[in-house]
Amino acid sequence: MIDVPNTLAGRRLLISGATGFLGKVLVAWLLEHCPGVHLQLVVRTRGRVETPVRRIERLIDTSPAFRPLRHRHGPALGRWLGERLCAVSGDVEKPSWGLDAAALADLQGTDVVIHCAGLTDFAPDPLRALAANTAGAVHGANLARALGARLIHVSTAFVCGRRDGPVDEVVHPGIAPNGAAFDPAETVRRLLVDLRGAPDAEARAAIGGTVAEALGWPNVYTLTKGLAEHLVAARLPDAVIVRPSIVECARRYPFPGWNEGLNTSGPLAWLISTAFRDLPARDELPFDVVPVDDVAAGIALSCAAACLGRAPPVVHLCSSDVNLLTLGRTIELTGLAMRRWCRTHGRPVDRLLFQHLDPVAVPADDPGPFAPARLREWVAQAGTWFADSPRWREADVELERVERMLRLYRPFIHDHAPVFRTDGIRRLGQDNPAPYRFDVTDIDWRRYWIDVEYPGLRQWCIPLVYGQRAPLDPPSSPPLRIAASSPERLAAK
Amino acid sequence: MQPVAYFRVEGVLWDRSGAHAAGWLAARAQDLGTRLTRLGAVAASVPFGWAPIGDRGTARRLAWSAVRGFSEDRLAELGDEYRERFVDDALRPVGLDLLERCRADGYRLVLLTDLVAAIAEGLRSRLRVEDLVSNQLEWVDGRATGRLVDPIVGAVDGRWVRTHAAGLGVKLDRSRAYGAVGDDAVLLGAVDGPCAVAPDRDLRRIARDCGWPVVDA
């Protein structure tokens, strides 16, 4: 058993990515459940006017992730936070995360660096992804070493690449997912040279995709996260690599359904929420989903274990080995959730469509008459039969978007069936009381998917597909101001 | 031992039959091709329901074969939807009144229904009834095989009543029962306090012959 709140009490954690989906929940979760901890958040400021503290104040004041904290502390929140939280300006893509000498001096005594920042798009510009995902992690490792702190590097379970079957919690620096020996630093160097010489984003994407494919990673995202792991493990052997799978809506904290941004299930749920019914997928494949608050609990537990020198080098925060959710079940549950949602929110045409047509998985290589490619042929044909109109062209653009998206998702929903082993984190949290353990065995996927996940996606994610913004909470009046930290508190360990 | 009051859902508390539920579910199978064949099974069950007493077990088997291949998720979710749409607001006041009277008299309440547990369990919980005797589907690897587990509720041999009473350690001759269709005659004949509620022609005739009280809606 690891006493997480007591182990972390008085410890100083330096966290990157606190303004992201996982980062917000992690910060809120730590403040809520480990109130003795001191958090130092590295945030990128926009423009000269905004200070890091102002950005964090606005974030805490308006993000739904901090609702429980705001409700609990009310007007006293600023003072309460002042004793537990500070923010420094930085940029993870720069050496030492862009922290100046004064900031680095203030950060001496940091116990753990938690690197959460990263780009989670499946098809980002490889240059940007290398800077954020790979260079950011390397700079984090160097920074942790300079501060004499342990590093928790948040990666992804899908760095396993194109794998089927059980995936262990290990990293073998210099061995690619396809088993080939390679030099990660040299790969990054060459990749950067090639990418900088490429004429445009399309060429860069092609170069990134080719390198990923050659080493056994399915896309640029997993390539850049994978390279980061290899470099971090080689540079800092005592680093802890935490690998969540698909991070989805919270099931308890900050409240059921909270989500942010367009993550893996969001676009798929959106697709099923359109007239598109045939998803090229394999029913029996694991769809490894973890609620974001479980991931936060897993990171906090790993962090406490790292402080005690008991953390394993790699930790999976996944569900497929202990509570399997298959893709076929996910598709069916999404259809059922959609059906329920339409009963209360849908237009009559939605009700008609979704009460009578369910999404189904179809083979990717023989997707039938409703595959996007076939529909595009029909649309092109319709354009020749009837008057050519912008509507046909719009339909073609939309279908091309769907086709591209399905190509991106194919490795995860059709081609490979990895099952991530979670022995490490389960051993760490054994006998710990809730919520200080990572336990996804009690998730009832039906209840979670229909009552929590799908409504959460509808509220927080799907509006983004249509160019809308996710709703924020109204700022408090007067606006939240975090009281300055007392020096004694900062010095205390 | 607390005395027991059995309430037949179909006829006493609710106007429709299990075949309606099976047909509604069949029309919502996951893929379109399956829906047609399953609806055919439900249609084929209807004449058995009209046949003389003795063939209604076959009608139930045929009707519920319509959910073959359904996942537990689909049946639970659609079962809830069916109950909300067709059961909750369509409960018969006369049946509810009798139920409340039995509760007030200290009887342990039991619902008997042709419906499958995925639908009936929600009704049991809503009516705050202690026990439920419903048809049970056979499941293999999380999918319904389309077969009902014996004994079939509603079949005329009445084994389902005796099985339930034996399980509870209840003596039927100290119990009450409320039925509405001819199939319920076995149950009503086995208890101390039988009552026919808005009975069909078969049960009305039997009730008259046996001198059982009849409550019309």
Side-chain angles (χ1 to χ4, degrees):
Chain A
M1 178 172 161
I2 293 177
D3 185 341
V4 177
N6 275 331
T7 304
L8 293 183
R11 304 271 183 180
R12 293 172 64 187
L13 315 184
L14 179 67
I15 301 178
S16 72
T19 55
F21 168 46
L22 173 58
K24 280 190 193 96
V25 177
L26 176 65
V27 168
W29 194 98
L30 283 167
L31 290 168
E32 182 81 45
H33 299 295
C34 305
V37 74
H38 187 88
L39 306 182
Q40 308 159 124
L41 311 182
V42 179
V43 292
R44 191 152 52 178
T45 47
R46 302 170 187 144
R48 290 183 179 175
V49 185
E50 190 183 54
T51 65
V53 176
R54 286 286 170 273
R55 185 164 182 210
I56 290 299
E57 284 170 348
R58 205 173 57 242
L59 184 86
I60 295 177
D61 213 10
T62 57
S63 169
F66 294 92
R67 267 183 209 169
L69 279 174
R70 291 198 302 266
H71 289 163
R72 179 189 295 264
H73 298 283
L77 180 62
R79 182 186 298 272
W80 188 84
L81 284 174
E83 293 173 5
R84 290 162 180 85
L85 183 139
C86 65
V88 287
S89 180
D91 181 349
V92 296
E93 296 177 17
K94 294 178 179 167
S96 300
W97 285 356
L99 300 165
D100 59 28
L104 286 172
D106 283 346
L107 292 172
Q108 288 301 322
T110 295
D111 295 281
V112 182
V113 174
I114 303 179
H115 178 44
C116 272
L119 268 187
T120 54
D121 302 358
F122 276 5
D125 182 327
L127 263 182
R128 284 205 59 217
L130 270 179
N133 293 345
T134 312
V138 173
H139 298 323
N142 292 338
L143 179 63
R145 189 165 21 195
L147 294 173
R150 297 291 302 267
L151 174 71
I152 304 277
H153 167 56
V154 180
S155 182
T156 168
F158 293 96
V159 292
C160 68
R162 296 184 176 278
R163 288 272 301 274
D164 292 294
V167 178
D168 291 323
E169 295 164 288
V170 288
V171 57
H172 299 294
I175 305 294
N178 61 6
F182 78 117
D183 181 343
E186 180 59 16
T187 304
V188 171
R189 194 190 62 75
R190 276 199 207 154
L191 188 55
L192 279 173
V193 170
D194 292 346
L195 290 172
R196 284 176 183 146
D200 53 28
E202 205 173 315
R204 287 197 294 274
I207 292 168
T210 307
V211 173
E213 203 61 44
L215 293 170
W217 277 295
N219 56 30
V220 169
Y221 167 65
T222 51
L223 165 74
T224 52
K225 292 298 265 189
L227 287 171
E229 279 199 9
H230 285 260
L231 293 167
V232 165
R235 242 159 241 257
L236 204 61
D238 69 348
V240 180
I241 295 171
V242 174
R243 293 177 180 161
S245 51
I246 302 168
V247 184
E248 287 298 339
C249 297
R251 59 172 168 147
R252 295 194 186 98
Y253 192 86
F255 51 86
W258 159 246
N259 201 329
E260 190 180 68
L262 274 176
N263 33 38
T264 311
S265 296
L268 288 179
W270 163 76
L271 198 56
I272 290 173
S273 309
T274 65
F276 189 79
R277 308 279 82 199
D278 293 352
L279 199 65
R282 270 166 50 204
D283 274 343
E284 73 282 7
L285 247 60
F287 192 61
D288 200 309
V289 166
V290 205
V292 65
D293 43 344
D294 285 292
V295 175
I299 294 175
L301 177 58
S302 305
C303 188
C307 290
L308 299 173
R310 287 170 54 187
V314 180
V315 166
H316 278 163
L317 301 178
C318 308
S319 60
S320 52
D321 68 333
V322 291
N323 188 2
L324 179 68
L325 172 67
T326 62
L327 200 53
R329 190 175 180 199
T330 309
I331 293 170
E332 186 174 22
L333 285 174
T334 307
L336 291 169
M338 176 74 192
R339 180 185 175 85
R340 187 195 282 187
W341 188 87
C342 279
R343 278 167 58 204
T344 47
H345 298 81
R347 299 166 299 171
V349 64
D350 292 330
R351 283 198 290 274
L352 191 69
L353 181 67
F354 297 110
Q355 287 189 3
H356 297 288
L357 288 175
D358 273 277
V360 287
V362 294
D365 299 318
D366 180 21
F370 299 110
R374 197 67 60 80
L375 292 175
R376 287 184 73 191
E377 286 170 20
W378 290 5
V379 166
Q381 195 68 52
T384 59
W385 286 344
F386 307 104
D388 194 20
S389 82
R391 184 168 289 186
W392 299 122
R393 283 193 292 278
E394 279 167 24
D396 187 59
V397 168
E398 192 71 12
L399 285 166
E400 191 198 0
R401 185 177 164 199
V402 169
E403 215 178 351
R404 208 169 43 237
M405 196 188 104
L406 290 174
R407 240 192 336 264
L408 272 178
Y409 277 86
R410 180 173 165 148
F412 309 100
I413 64 175
H414 191 276
D415 294 347
H416 300 288
V419 175
F420 303 108
R421 299 191 58 167
T422 55
D423 310 63
I425 193 72
R426 282 187 287 119
R427 224 176 2 252
L428 279 183
Q430 217 170 21
D431 306 326
N432 270 19
Y436 303 106
R437 62 178 181 225
F438 179 80
D439 183 9
V440 289
T441 54
D442 61 343
I443 299 179
D444 173 342
W445 289 118
R446 178 167 68 235
R447 293 273 67 90
Y448 173 75
W449 209 265
I450 293 178
D451 298 341
V452 176
E453 170 73 6
Y454 189 78
L457 292 176
R458 290 297 314 203
Q459 183 170 7
W460 305 106
C461 304
I462 291 182
L464 307 183
V465 179
Y466 297 105
Q468 297 161 12
R469 297 180 68 130
L472 290 175
D473 291 339
S476 56
S477 179
L480 174 73
R481 289 285 172 259
I482 298 175
S485 301
S486 73
E488 298 78 23
R489 172 82 196 173
L490 272 174
K493 279 186 74 173
Chain B
M1 176 63 67
Q2 193 180 11
V4 174
Y6 289 96
F7 281 83
R8 166 63 103 153
V9 172
E10 294 79 12
V12 176
L13 289 164
W14 183 53
D15 282 334
R16 295 178 198 264
S17 71
H20 180 267
W24 188 86
L25 289 169
R28 281 144 192 89
Q30 194 173 5
D31 70 86
L32 290 170
T34 310
R35 289 179 193 177
L36 293 175
T37 53
R38 301 291 186 269
L39 278 169
V42 179
S45 77
V46 174
F48 286 93
W50 295 332
I53 294 172
D55 287 323
R56 295 194 182 169
T58 309
R60 268 113 194 161
R61 282 187 196 281
L62 260 176
W64 288 110
S65 71
V67 295
R68 181 155 64 94
F70 267 51
S71 65
E72 290 182 48
D73 293 328
R74 175 162 291 270
L75 199 65
E77 181 62 18
L78 293 180
D80 278 349
E81 183 182 336
Y82 181 83
R83 187 178 45 75
E84 284 167 22
R85 288 178 63 168
F86 298 104
V87 183
D88 283 355
D89 294 333
L91 293 173
R92 304 178 76 172
V94 61
L96 291 174
D97 186 45
L98 291 167
L99 194 88
E100 289 309 321
R101 273 198 234 165
C102 287
R103 196 196 311 274
D105 291 347
Y107 280 81
R108 183 186 181 95
L109 303 176
V110 181
L111 291 185
L112 300 167
T113 176
D114 297 355
L115 295 170
V116 290
I119 300 171
E121 184 54 41
L123 179 64
R124 182 201 68 76
S125 133
R126 183 174 171 234
L127 295 178
R128 296 177 292 114
V129 167
E130 288 87 349
D131 289 300
L132 170 70
V133 182
S134 64
N135 277 317
Q136 301 292 330
L137 287 163
E138 182 187 69
W139 295 91
V140 173
D141 296 334
R143 299 263 162 195
T145 63
R147 281 192 288 271
L148 291 179
V149 176
D150 281 328
I152 293 178
V153 176
V156 79
D157 63 8
R159 272 194 296 149
W160 42 284
V161 179
R162 290 192 291 275
T163 304
H164 178 263
L168 278 185
V170 168
K171 287 188 175 160
L172 285 172
D173 58 7
R174 290 183 53 210
S175 303
R176 286 182 189 173
Y178 298 85
V181 290
D183 303 23
D184 299 333
V186 176
L187 168 66
L188 298 189
V191 297
D192 181 44
C195 180
V197 183
D200 66 359
R201 200 177 54 188
D202 292 334
L203 188 62
R204 189 176 291 277
R205 195 187 63 239
I206 296 168
R208 193 174 52 236
D209 292 349
C210 299
W212 296 337
V214 174
V215 177
D216 281 307

